[in-house]
Amino acid sequence: MKTLFTLMACLMVCGASFAQKLNKLSGKIVDEKTVPVPFAMVRVLNYPDTGLVKSVSTNIDGEFSIDQLKNGDYILSISIVGFKSKKTDRFSLNGDLNLPVISIESLSKQLKEVSVQGKKPFIEHQIDKTVLNVENSITAAGSTALEVLEKAPGVQIDRQNDQIKLNNKNGVTVMIDGKSNFLSGADITTLLGNMSSDQIATIELITNPSAKYDAAGNAGIINIRLKRNKAFGTNGTLAVNTGQGIMPDSPGDLFRAGVNLNLNHRQGKWNIFGNGAIVRKAQFNNTFLTRTTLSDGLASSLTQNFDRKNKGVGFQGKLGADYYASEKTVFGVMLDANTVTTKLSNLSNTNINAVQNGSSSLNYILQDANSHSPVGNLTANFNIKHDFDKKGKSLTFDMDYSRFSNKKDENFLASYLNGSGNQTNETTLRNNTDAEINIYAAKTDFTLPISKTMKLETGLKSSYVVTHNNFISEQLIGGVWQNDLGKSNNFVYKENINAIYGSFSKEWKVFQVQLGLRGEHTHSNGTSVTDQKQVNRNYFSLFPTVFINQKISENHNIRYSYGRRVDRPNYQQLNPFVFYMDPLAVDQGNPYLKPQFTANYQVSYSYKELSFSLNYSDTRDMITQISKQDDATRIISVIRENLGRSRYYSADLYIPVKVTKWWNMQNNISVYYNKFNDGNIEGAAYSAGKAAVNLFTSDTFTLPQNFSIEVSAWLNSPRVNGVEQTTIYQGALNAGIQKSLMNKKLKLRLNMDDILLTNHWEGKLVYQNVNMSVVNHYTSRRANFSISYNFGNQNVKSARSRNTATDDIKNRAGG
């Protein structure tokens, strides 16, 4: 009996063991070009009832593995966005099985149809920003990034002072792919003037950023996102453009051209991307200036005419790689370098009509100036992103090093003539500028979803900047170059900013709330080595943000927002050097400039795509440029000072209209009022305010045979900014036509900017003893032709975007 029980137990155990024998199923998913397809959903279904047994996602190499499967008949169902869903034939499982490679087909045809029907407009108004879809714009083709920005609603390019303004407010942080370019003033406009629109995918206008962003940028952030190929395998875009400026009374050589190549290669765990561009530019600028002086009964009237022509060649290259160590962890590196060399020639003619005791005299100053200026920029980035789960819990880390160099050699030859045209004197000067900036920065961001309706974000950032500016001014006296000790200087600036932020968001059925707080500690030291003077600053500031979205109904929303921002003086504004411009004009920095702080408030309402907003901002210690005139010497000095208070009120209305199936219209109307007050500017109180209007419209027409037309126009009314008044209506009419070929992979675009030649500036400065008027004409009308060709697989997204650690500090190197 015992033997029988033992035999039965053995049979039961062995039978159970045999019944529980399970199998492992593995395989690989590729597309029609045999490129692995990661993150595809693979479902194991029973046959024939198709009941779900198990599911799994493919790894970065397109491979999958499923174990613990019983013997039986099965089929697989494979699905992923951008591909046709597929079910395999029936197969039997009776032991471990490695299936043959499974190929799935991309939805290229369907995606093309969707892209035609759902093409994004040039302007998209989203809940937290305005997006310009540059790659979809015909009139943007062949333009520079600066010219594209000028076509954006609310953006003004102040070519008189080389400033970019947003909603008529200074203090804009310009970022490229989430990182600032460490330049400002003339330097950032030079860089954007050398960047072709063929490199740009979108431009984001963020007027009230959250606490996650650096607090810099009183008016907000302009983020330029460059094109990045979004497909597996090898793919890219090649673009060629050329243009010719058409301007009365200008040199014939206003020709420009550019070539841009974007490449992306995705294979296995690696994604390698790069960009290369070369651009040749030429521009002309004519400025006519009049002003008066009065000293000890001597009244002078000065008229000056400047003809500036600059041309140059720029090169840009970017190389980066992402390594997908696992489905949750990605490592990335990126190296970005660009260089621009410009040559400037400037001919000026100054007439001085002086009257004293009823007697008048006329004198002239003729100056021939030229400069050679190579600018270099190198940025290296290392980054990590880890996703803890699929609910959004993630950690990112960025570490950056950036180096910028700006060398400039300037030569000035001035001839002084009497009323008879005879030369009475001659001066020869030269300036040599050698500026170098080094940045070290690191940041980390952590995102923690608490629930489906609650999320917490927090992060740290630290940056350290060292700038060296060596300026040597010399005059030729007796055939010997002698150092002008009153102007030459060596300036060293060091700055350390440490920041911490936290942001909490919560969603209810009707309300969405996001509360944020950012703290930044700034320690800076500016040292004039020549004068042995130092300016130290050490301060801590808090920057709260509040965003509330109220969903009234499916189509009606109201959004309330508040944010505090800061603009620190850029490094050239702090530089105490005296820069010679002509015998009667100099430019000088101010090491005692204070940062300006701004509180921004906004209430906006949206109905479907229509939106209306009310805005108010209050800025204290506004950094502004003023002119200080010495009546005795007739010399005018351009300096920077803090203006006591600036207030800004605006109402903005965005109206999209679909006129017909083939005609779409976008309209933007802004009405605003600026008010400026200061108790003491150059010895007297100052108060000025003015209401102004900004109008923008864009029309797109979709025609048969893959033709399309785009017409856009903008208009700015007279306005005031600080001590400067714009006295004319300023605007432009732009138009372009596009023809698509080869299944829309090849696009030919022809357009013209400022057809009516109405984009020029006229203004005046009237305060204290300054009475000046200015007329400035520049190369605004230009005909452009561009060709772009997309090659390779363009359907499945692969590359990721990133924000690096050098976000705000890279925007402050210019003057």
Side-chain angles (χ1 to χ4, degrees), residues 590-603:
N590 180 3
Y592 300 100
L593 276 177
K594 297 181 291 184
Q596 66 178 32
F597 291 89
T598 301
N600 292 314
Y601 305 83
Q602 183 182 70
V603 178

Side-chain angles (χ1 to χ4, degrees), residues 515-531:
L515 305 176
L517 182 63
R518 186 179 186 92
E520 294 187 352
H521 176 263
T522 304
H523 179 221
S524 65
N525 174 272
T527 303
S528 174
V529 178
T530 305
D531 298 335

Side-chain angles (χ1 to χ4, degrees), residues 235-287:
N235 46 75
T237 302
L238 175 65
V240 180
N241 68 77
T242 182
Q244 176 64 44
I246 305 170
M247 183 177 177
D249 303 320
S250 66
D253 181 16
L254 293 179
F255 169 80
R256 71 179 179 203
V259 180
N260 182 74
L261 176 65
N262 283 287
L263 284 174
N264 190 87
H265 178 74
R266 177 69 177 272
Q267 185 71 39
K269 296 185 178 182
W270 287 95
N271 182 73
I272 301 173
F273 57 92
N275 171 270
I278 178 172
V279 61
R280 192 266 189 190
K281 70 166 189 176
Q283 292 181 326
F284 178 72
N285 180 292
N286 171 259
T287 303

Side-chain angles (χ1 to χ4, degrees), residues 369-385:
N370 61 81
S371 68
H372 177 264
S373 178
V375 177
N377 170 7
L378 175 68
T379 299
N381 167 261
F382 170 74
N383 60 89
I384 304 172
K385 182 179 181 182

Side-chain angles (χ1 to χ4, degrees), residues 120 134 140 176 195 266 306 385 387 417 468 482 492 555 558 584 629 667 702 733 769 793 803:
K120 292 183 179 180
V134 178
I176 297 180
M195 179 183 293
R266 177 69 177 272
F306 301 88
K385 182 179 181 182
D387 296 318
L417 310 176
H468 293 271
Q482 297 185 18
V492 178
N555 296 321
I558 298 179
L584 297 178
Q629 183 169 266
N667 305 286
T702 304
L733 173 66
N769 68 330
N793 184 16
N803 295 339

Side-chain angles (χ1 to χ4, degrees), residues 555-573:
N555 296 321
H556 298 264
N557 284 275
I558 298 179
R559 188 171 190 255
Y560 315 86
S561 63
Y562 162 79
R564 187 172 187 255
R565 310 286 293 166
V566 64
D567 276 300
R568 302 174 182 89
N570 70 53
Y571 313 122
Q572 292 299 83
Q573 289 174 334

Side-chain angles (χ1 to χ4, degrees), residues 56-346:
V56 69
S57 295
T58 57
N59 63 18
I60 198 69
D61 296 316
E63 299 171 345
F64 67 90
S65 178
I66 307 174
D67 53 16
Q68 302 293 308
L69 294 175
K70 297 179 180 179
N71 291 347
D73 293 337
Y74 300 95
I75 61 173
L76 293 184
S77 172
I78 300 107
S79 62
I80 184 174
V81 174
F83 287 86
K84 293 181 181 179
S85 298
K86 180 173 183 175
K87 289 185 178 180
T88 65
D89 296 332
R90 180 186 65 173
F91 60 89
S92 297
L93 201 58
N94 188 18
D96 294 346
L97 177 62
N98 184 22
L99 293 171
V101 174
I102 302 170
S103 177
I104 59 177
E105 183 181 353
S106 62
L107 288 170
S108 57
K109 180 178 180 181
Q110 287 85 341
L111 288 176
K112 288 175 186 175
E113 292 174 353
V114 170
S115 65
V116 172
Q117 296 172 3
K119 179 181 176 181
K120 292 183 179 180
F122 176 49
I123 300 174
E124 281 187 291
H125 283 263
Q126 300 180 4
I127 190 170
D128 58 344
K129 59 190 172 186
T130 299
V131 179
L132 310 180
N133 293 295
V134 178
E135 56 189 340
N136 290 339
S137 173
I138 302 172
T139 57
S143 302
T144 67
L146 197 65
E147 292 164 348
V148 174
L149 278 174
E150 195 167 36
K151 298 171 186 175
V155 178
Q156 294 103 31
I157 306 301
D158 181 357
R159 299 179 189 270
Q160 181 69 17
N161 301 308
D162 284 316
Q163 296 287 335
I164 300 174
K165 299 177 182 177
L166 186 57
N167 296 326
N168 204 42
K169 293 193 293 182
N170 296 322
V172 177
T173 296
V174 177
M175 305 169 70
I176 297 180
D177 280 338
K179 58 177 182 176
S180 299
N181 263 274
F182 200 19
L183 303 171
S184 60
D187 291 325
I188 189 64
T189 56
T190 297
L191 178 69
L192 297 181
N194 282 282
M195 179 183 293
S196 170
S197 62
D198 294 322
Q199 299 174 253
I200 302 172
T202 62
I203 297 178
E204 300 170 344
L205 310 179
I206 309 171
T207 56
N208 206 0
S210 69
K212 185 175 182 177
Y213 290 91
D214 295 283
N218 145 58
I221 293 173
I222 296 177
N223 185 24
I224 301 173
R225 294 199 175 275
L226 302 181
K227 289 181 180 178
R228 179 79 67 84
N229 298 107
K230 301 176 181 180
F232 293 100
T234 301
N235 46 75
T237 302
L238 175 65
V240 180
N241 68 77
T242 182
Q244 176 64 44
I246 305 170
M247 183 177 177
D249 303 320
S250 66
D253 181 16
L254 293 179
F255 169 80
R256 71 179 179 203
V259 180
N260 182 74
L261 176 65
N262 283 287
L263 284 174
N264 190 87
H265 178 74
R266 177 69 177 272
Q267 185 71 39
K269 296 185 178 182
W270 287 95
N271 182 73
I272 301 173
F273 57 92
N275 171 270
I278 178 172
V279 61
R280 192 266 189 190
K281 70 166 189 176
Q283 292 181 326
F284 178 72
N285 180 292
N286 171 259
T287 303
F288 182 76
L289 181 151
T290 64
R291 60 186 175 97
T292 59
T293 64
L294 178 62
S295 176
D296 295 330
L298 176 63
S300 301
S301 174
L302 293 87
T303 62
Q304 294 180 280
N305 190 72
F306 301 88
D307 282 345
R308 299 184 183 91
K309 178 185 177 182
N310 71 66
K311 60 182 179 180
V313 178
F315 300 89
Q316 186 269 336
K318 177 184 289 186
L319 181 64
D322 295 323
Y323 176 70
Y324 294 80
S326 68
E327 293 183 15
K328 295 182 178 181
T329 306
V330 185
F331 296 88
V333 293
M334 183 177 65
L335 186 67
D336 188 357
N338 63 71
T339 178
V340 177
T341 301
T342 58
K343 294 182 179 180
L344 170 68
S345 61
N346 182 7

